[in-house]
Structures are given as C-alpha cells and as structure tokens.
Amino acid sequence: MNQIAQHLLQVKERIAQAARGASRNPEQVRLLAVSKTKPLEALMAAHAAGQRCFGESYAQEAATKIDTLRQQPEYNDIELHFIGPLQSNKSRLVAERFDWVQSVDREKLIERLNNQRPASMAPLNVCLQINISGESSKSGTSEQEIFRLAELVSHSKRLVLRGLMAIPEHTSDETVLAAQMARMQTLFTELARQYPSVDTLSMGMTEDLELAIAHGSTMVRVGTAIFGARDYS
C-alpha cells in the first residue's frame, strides 16, 4: 500500500472515532481531500485508494489538473470542490469545471457563478463562507449577511444552496475554537430549517477535525495528513 493510501485510512479512522465519540454515525461525515499545490499524481494515487472528493484553492492550477482528468474516463467519478478565496475574474474557470464552490461570500460572485455555469452541467453546489473568527486576514462574509446571500443563491437557476463553510481561528485555545464552531453549528441549523437543500457544514481540518465533528461538521477538509506538508515556494 502506498503512503497516501495509508494516510487516507488513518484519517478515515480518526473521523470514525470522532463521530462515535460524539454519538454520531461516521457516515454522516464526508472527507474532502485537499489536493491544492499537490501534483496531479498525488490526486491520482488518492483516487486509486478510493478517495473521490477533492478540494482545490487556486483556480488556474486547479483548471489545469481538471482539464487533464476530464480527458480520462476513469476519473469521471471525481467530485471537485473549490475551497479557496475566489476572485471575480477567475469565476468562469471555476463555474465551468467544479462541482462545488465552498467559498462564496458576496453577491457579485453569486451572480457571476450563476451566469457562467454552463447549462449542459448540473447546477453548481454552493456553500457560503462565514468569517466566523472575524479576522481581517480571512475571506468570508459576516453572520449578518448569510441569510441575505442564501436567499440570492436559492433564487439562482444554475446554483444550489448546500450549506456553510468556515475556517475557525488558528489557535491552540480549544475554548475559543469550540465557541466559534458552536456558533457555526447554530447558524447551519437555522439555515437548514429554512432551506431543504442545505445539508453541509464544512468545518474542520487536519488539526481540529475531532472538535469540528463534535460540533456538527458534516465535511472535514484534510490535506496535510493525507498528502504531507505543502511547499509554497
């Protein structure tokens, strides 16, 4: 078994243990393998090990990978999520290639993705990103804007509202993290009550997935624990 396959097994066991510890069914939590900055071969190795959902953050880099994969029928079952900050001038690259966008945080982006999504493709699944920690360095909209943006997505013919995404504060203080995650869980519950299509709370990464699952996360985004540390040089 190759290293990526071993790492996938280890992460899935962590997810299962965390879910059971929170009295949840492990099948309620999906694993999104974050393959950003990683070579196409790493993604292919994860696919060979059974992983089907992948997350990318850089539109141009991701477009190159996706265009290569789409030429090979064996990769038609891959589900691709865009999870990074999305500039308006890169929205077409994403609208024409991805299955999900988890980082929608403003009205202009909703309009562009809806207008640019090809009619020949299934509607684009959308998660609204909340800047739950309130950090100026992070993308995401405010809590106050979520329900207005949700209404806009719900009335967009080429988009489907699926839920919320957040990147809580990078801190070792679990009290701070837990408070932010609990707030996300509350907002998610409120949104799901209003919109039947909402079923996804994307929250938790390599370092904090257990805490996120304890607070209702239905999708954890894991890169380092699967593919190793990233080289941004």
Side-chain angles (χ1 to χ4, degrees), residues 212-227:
I213 290 170
H215 287 87
S217 175
T218 68
M219 181 179 291
V220 293
R221 309 181 303 273
V222 180
T224 302
I226 297 171
F227 299 110

Side-chain angles (χ1 to χ4, degrees), residues 61-206:
E61 174 202 344
T64 301
K65 291 181 185 177
I66 294 168
D67 290 347
T68 301
L69 290 172
R70 295 300 192 203
Q71 296 172 14
Q72 304 177 58
E74 63 265 37
Y75 296 107
N76 286 344
D77 57 353
I78 282 181
E79 184 177 284
L80 294 156
H81 295 236
F82 190 83
I83 60 175
L86 182 55
Q87 297 174 342
S88 295
N89 63 357
K90 298 289 181 63
S91 61
R92 185 176 295 278
L93 285 173
V94 172
E96 293 180 345
R97 290 169 173 82
F98 281 80
D99 303 298
W100 288 64
V101 180
Q102 295 197 18
S103 50
V104 174
D105 61 1
R106 58 195 184 277
E107 183 174 345
K108 182 179 180 181
L109 190 54
I110 293 170
E111 293 174 353
R112 290 180 67 89
L113 289 171
N114 183 59
N115 292 336
Q116 293 167 346
R117 182 67 169 179
S120 60
M121 299 180 73
L124 186 62
N125 296 292
V126 167
C127 286
L128 299 171
Q129 182 177 355
I130 302 180
N131 184 354
I132 197 63
S133 63
E135 296 170 87
S136 60
S137 60
K138 282 186 179 174
S139 299
T141 191
S142 66
E143 295 180 39
Q144 294 74 25
E145 277 286 278
I146 282 300
F147 293 93
R148 185 182 73 84
L149 295 181
E151 186 71 9
L152 292 174
V153 174
S154 72
H155 286 101
S156 300
K157 292 183 178 180
R158 305 302 304 152
L159 307 178
V160 177
L161 181 65
R162 295 299 297 270
L164 300 176
M165 185 270 265
I167 306 172
E169 191 172 337
H170 183 66
T171 175
S172 58
D173 189 336
E174 284 203 3
T175 302
V176 172
L177 272 178
Q180 293 174 9
M181 290 180 176
R183 183 58 185 154
M184 284 298 303
Q185 187 174 19
T186 298
L187 291 167
F188 171 67
T189 300
E190 292 176 4
L191 195 68
R193 192 178 294 122
Q194 293 187 32
Y195 299 97
S197 62
V198 169
D199 58 5
T200 301
L201 176 56
S202 177
M203 181 172 71
M205 296 184 282
T206 296

